[in-house]
Amino acid sequence: MKKYINILASLAIASSGMFASCSLDLDNPDGPTATGYFNEQDKFVLNMVGITQEWRSDFDINMMRNAGELRSGIYSPVTSGIDGSMLDGIEAVNNVLDAAHPQFTNFANFYGTIGNLNALLYYADRNAGVFNSESARSYLKGMAYGMRAYLYFQLHKMYGTCPLRTEPDVLLGNFNAVALAMPRAEAEAVLNQIKEDVKNSIKEFEAGAGFNDQRVMGKNYWNPTATQMLAGEVYLWSGKVSTGNHKATPADVTTAKGYFEEVTKAGYSMMPNYADVFDAAKKAANTEVIFSTYYGYGVNTANWYFQSFWNPTTGQAQGIFWACYGEDGITPTAYANRLGRYINTEGKQVNNNLWYHGPGNVVNRYQYRNAVWYQYNELDTRRDANFMDNYLATNEENGVQADGETPIEGASPVNFIADFNKNERNLAGLFFFKYKGELQNSNLQGTNDMIYYRLPLAYMYLAEIANYEGNNSDVEKYINMVRQRAYADNWDEATLGYKAGSFRENEVAILQEKTREFVGEGQRWWDIRRLTTVKDGEDKDHLLFQPESCAGFGLDATNPYYNEVCLRINDLPNCPLVTNVPVLDYATQKQMALWPINTALVSDVVLQTPGY
């Protein structure tokens, strides 16, 4: 299976205008070739299993963090993290993009999987007679159309234009590299293909309603509601974002609304407790996840979010900062221990909590801005579910004088504070702790599924569409449906509920609510690209180019306890909170709304992204 996937991936690179040589016996009916592999229904099913595994391996990190968040203004731009580790992805965080620094190569390497999907679709029609039922063929085609649409939609959002390959030309015998070279299709053509694919996916899923092979069913595989979510995203983007020769089409926003409303009728419901959505032990009973990729014991348990954890055996922050967590390493407390330690009531250090074990051999490589933490109300349960906050110790608590270095005679560092007031402390920084994993043999394992779509996302899109329609009542309705769960027993709509305002104010509120709810789920970059200060405005009006995209927008910069990352109390004057700097400057960086392609791809056929 893996061999087959790898072969098709290499072929697909050739068919996207990126050349590769290969030699296959396409007439061998039993070999790992297209003809031999698509000659019975079970092989089609296993092919889809393999494509989904490939998706998990290749795209979780690229779609969620690298493309969906890293450039969106919420990651720390410094090179050294809170635990002393050198942070990764700093060029992307600081939006250093050009042909020599494209951040992705070969169109993010999406074409290997696109090629596999093209082959499945082609042979599902050519070899229709090998299926046990028409519903099986239709359901698998529905999956393939939906997944291909998703990948092309990512390419459209990232690059605007891209080679548009929908047939497995190499598998059909075309080995001519010159003939296979394909220019980037215009934006409108790419969008039209995506729209056609989502419509075909919906149609095929409807025809495949009787199919019930559990090997490719459920939330860990592409499914009918995932296509409905994708269709809504596609039409909302098409309705609000102009790219190349595509002009934003307001009627598409109305079309998007219909798809999201179908999602809300599909039988999903929000989990009562926000933290439970990401509890690996409860994922089987999760009622709100629509599509996710599976992780479990023995199945790639070191996913990308582990690179935002802190390992006490290698990190340099242990014992330096204050952390307010109980013995389990998860439950927030009113008292503080030194980071990575827990002092019990007898004054003895205990090292058996979840956090202490760490993910093993991984140090913190990606760090969020402190401003992200400040944007939460302290009654919002999402704050403590998503992050582990750590605070600066004062010089006196460290047993040193005001210079931060000279020891105080007879003094020793303080290791425990019974009554710790976070509101009168300066943050040292945050560790991302949304996907906590599970302990196995005293090791923390990343068994959380990676979530692409869940029900509250549809609610937030409906809030955005309501704002576009001028329906403030529904703006409040949908935002508060999401917010209410976050506040749990503290919820009081009169004091904590969102009160709708102007178009601009509502768009910003949607951005901030989504950042609080979906941090780590690959949403914010696309949000600031799509949300706008003016209905049907110009490119420059998108939040990407406006102060509202700043992670600290709306915060009180004069608050003496608000700062960006500082590692010592004495450094605080040099760590001001930034509140009004847009992610990109329209005058000098507008081309960076899209990514460049790497220099090796550029040719007379495949042109560079405009502006680079």
Side-chain angles (χ1 to χ4, degrees):
M1 181 67 207
K2 185 65 176 176
K3 182 179 181 183
Y4 172 71
I5 291 294
N6 287 341
I7 290 172
L8 280 190
S10 65
L11 295 178
I13 291 174
S15 63
S16 67
M18 295 158 270
F19 307 139
S21 62
C22 55
S23 178
L24 294 174
D25 179 4
L26 293 179
D27 294 325
N28 179 3
D30 299 315
T33 65
T35 303
Y37 201 78
F38 292 109
N39 58 10
E40 59 183 79
Q41 178 176 308
D42 200 57
K43 291 182 179 179
F44 277 91
V45 171
L46 292 176
N47 183 282
M48 183 55 72
V49 171
I51 291 174
T52 301
Q53 291 173 349
E54 180 182 48
W55 181 296
R56 178 188 64 199
S57 299
D58 295 344
F59 301 142
D60 286 355
I61 187 172
N62 276 342
M63 293 178 188
M64 291 185 183
R65 186 185 67 202
N66 296 349
E69 271 201 3
L70 206 55
R71 298 177 55 204
S72 70
I74 56 175
Y75 280 79
S76 176
V78 300
T79 57
S80 181
I82 182 176
D83 72 338
S85 306
M86 294 301 294
L87 298 180
D88 290 346
I90 295 302
E91 284 186 347
V93 168
N94 291 306
N95 280 292
V96 177
L97 263 72
D98 54 41
H101 307 84
Q103 306 308 324
F104 293 95
T105 58
N106 299 339
F107 288 104
N109 294 319
F110 286 177
Y111 281 97
T113 302
I114 289 173
N116 294 339
L117 294 165
N118 288 344
L120 188 148
L121 287 167
Y122 175 84
Y123 283 101
D125 287 340
R126 178 181 175 181
N127 298 347
V130 306
F131 287 89
N132 301 334
S133 68
E134 185 60 24
S135 64
R137 186 172 80 97
S138 292
Y139 193 94
L140 291 166
K141 287 179 66 179
M143 295 177 71
Y145 275 124
M147 295 170 80
R148 187 173 74 179
Y150 186 99
L151 294 177
Y152 270 123
F153 186 45
Q154 301 306 310
L155 289 169
H156 169 66
K157 292 188 297 181
M158 292 174 67
Y159 298 100
T161 64
C162 62
L164 195 56
R165 181 76 64 181
T166 58
E167 292 188 358
D169 289 1
V170 175
L171 291 179
L172 300 181
N174 184 355
F175 302 107
N176 187 315
V178 175
L180 284 171
M182 178 177 280
R184 299 169 68 163
E186 291 188 323
E188 189 72 25
V190 177
L191 261 178
N192 287 339
Q193 181 63 52
I194 295 166
K195 291 175 180 179
E196 181 181 347
D197 275 359
V198 294
K199 290 175 181 176
N200 283 333
S201 178
I202 291 170
K203 181 183 69 175
E204 296 291 353
F205 273 133
E206 289 174 349
F211 181 64
N212 192 32
D213 191 323
Q214 293 302 308
R215 289 176 295 178
V216 289
M217 306 289 282
K219 59 193 171 191
N220 292 136
Y221 287 89
W222 195 269
N223 56 70
T225 311
T227 294
Q228 295 281 357
M229 280 293 300
L230 173 61
E233 288 184 322
V234 169
Y235 279 89
L236 183 58
W237 187 275
S238 176
K240 296 182 69 175
V241 182
S242 297
T243 306
N245 72 330
H246 170 72
K247 176 67 176 175
T249 308
D252 282 357
V253 177
T254 302
T255 303
K257 180 179 180 179
Y259 287 118
F260 290 128
E261 287 178 336
E262 287 299 312
V263 172
T264 66
K265 302 172 187 176
Y268 297 89
S269 60
M270 290 175 63
M271 298 284 282
N273 178 29
Y274 177 80
D276 287 349
V277 179
F278 311 97
D279 188 332
K282 298 178 181 179
K283 63 185 179 182
N286 195 307
T287 57
E288 75 178 60
V289 171
I290 295 167
F291 172 59
S292 60
T293 50
Y294 176 79
Y295 289 81
Y297 292 136
V299 185
N300 192 12
T301 56
N303 208 329
W304 72 261
Y305 52 87
F306 265 43
Q307 298 175 22
S308 297
F309 274 20
W310 168 65
N311 185 344
T313 64
T314 57
Q316 301 173 28
Q318 185 173 14
I320 297 176
F321 307 119
W322 292 113
C324 298
Y325 287 84
E327 185 174 355
D328 62 2
I330 299 175
T331 306
T333 64
Y335 52 85
N337 289 281
R338 292 290 185 156
L339 177 62
R341 301 175 182 172
Y342 173 75
I343 309 299
N344 63 19
T345 54
E346 287 77 37
K348 297 180 180 180
Q349 183 171 326
V350 180
N351 295 329
N352 64 349
N353 61 66
L354 178 67
W355 180 256
Y356 180 81
H357 288 278
N361 301 319
V362 175
V363 291
N364 183 36
R365 296 300 188 193
Y366 295 87
Q367 187 165 305
Y368 287 89
R369 289 178 179 268
N370 288 355
V372 178
W373 173 268
Y374 302 137
Q375 291 287 4
Y376 289 90
N377 184 302
E378 63 182 337
L379 299 178
D380 189 333
T381 63
R382 296 173 298 192
R383 185 185 72 169
D384 292 325
N386 292 338
F387 295 101
M388 182 181 190
D389 49 320
N390 300 282
Y391 295 86
L392 296 175
T394 65
N395 289 326
E396 184 179 2
E397 289 163 353
N398 284 330
V400 297
Q401 297 181 23
D403 60 9
E405 297 179 1
T406 306
I408 297 174
E409 186 175 353
S412 60
V414 178
N415 289 316
F416 175 86
I417 296 179
D419 187 10
F420 191 87
N421 187 346
K422 292 183 177 182
N423 294 323
E424 295 181 358
R425 291 282 177 166
N426 295 104
L427 267 180
L430 304 169
F431 292 114
F432 187 55
F433 208 33
K434 187 172 190 172
Y435 307 105
K436 294 178 176 61
E438 296 174 284
L439 278 177
Q440 184 188 41
N441 299 325
S442 296
N443 291 313
L444 192 59
Q445 300 290 320
T447 54
N448 304 90
D449 292 351
M450 289 287 90
I451 302 171
Y452 285 77
Y453 289 136
R454 55 189 178 93
L455 181 61
L457 184 58
Y459 292 148
M460 292 306 300
Y461 280 133
L462 286 168
E464 183 179 341
I465 292 169
N467 190 42
Y468 192 84
E469 296 173 332
N471 183 348
N472 273 1
S473 177
D474 275 1
V475 171
E476 294 177 2
K477 168 188 169 183
Y478 287 115
I479 290 179
N480 289 333
M481 285 174 68
V482 175
R483 187 178 290 190
Q484 180 175 357
R485 180 189 49 192
Y487 284 89
D489 293 340
N490 294 313
W491 177 250
D492 176 6
E493 187 163 346
T495 58
L496 298 172
Y498 178 66
K499 307 297 189 300
S502 67
F503 178 89
R504 183 173 190 150
E505 289 168 339
N506 291 343
E507 293 278 287
V508 175
I510 290 166
L511 171 66
Q512 293 186 335
E513 196 68 33
K514 286 192 70 177
T515 301
R516 289 187 285 263
E517 176 78 18
F518 296 102
V519 63
E521 297 181 57
Q523 293 294 320
R524 185 177 162 94
W525 173 260
W526 311 123
D527 290 337
I528 61 178
R529 287 270 282 114
R530 187 187 62 256
L531 293 163
T532 181
T533 59
V534 180
K535 180 180 176 180
D536 299 329
E538 302 175 11
D539 280 352
K540 65 180 178 60
D541 298 316
H542 287 289
L543 296 190
L544 173 65
F545 304 112
Q546 299 295 323
E548 288 89 341
S549 64
C550 182
F553 182 81
L555 296 174
D556 179 9
T558 66
N559 188 317
Y561 300 109
Y562 282 2
N563 63 274
E564 279 304 341
V565 178
C566 277
L567 302 184
R568 302 187 312 166
I569 285 287
N570 288 26
D571 294 334
L572 281 175
N574 301 316
C575 309
L577 181 69
V578 179
T579 61
N580 62 358
V581 178
V583 171
L584 292 181
D585 175 66
Y586 184 77
T588 60
Q589 298 176 306
K590 62 182 177 181
Q591 78 280 1
M592 291 186 186
L594 301 175
W595 274 261
I597 59 173
N598 52 300
T599 304
L601 283 185
V602 178
S603 68
D604 292 339
V605 176
V606 182
L607 304 181
Q608 181 58 275
T609 305
Y612 292 98

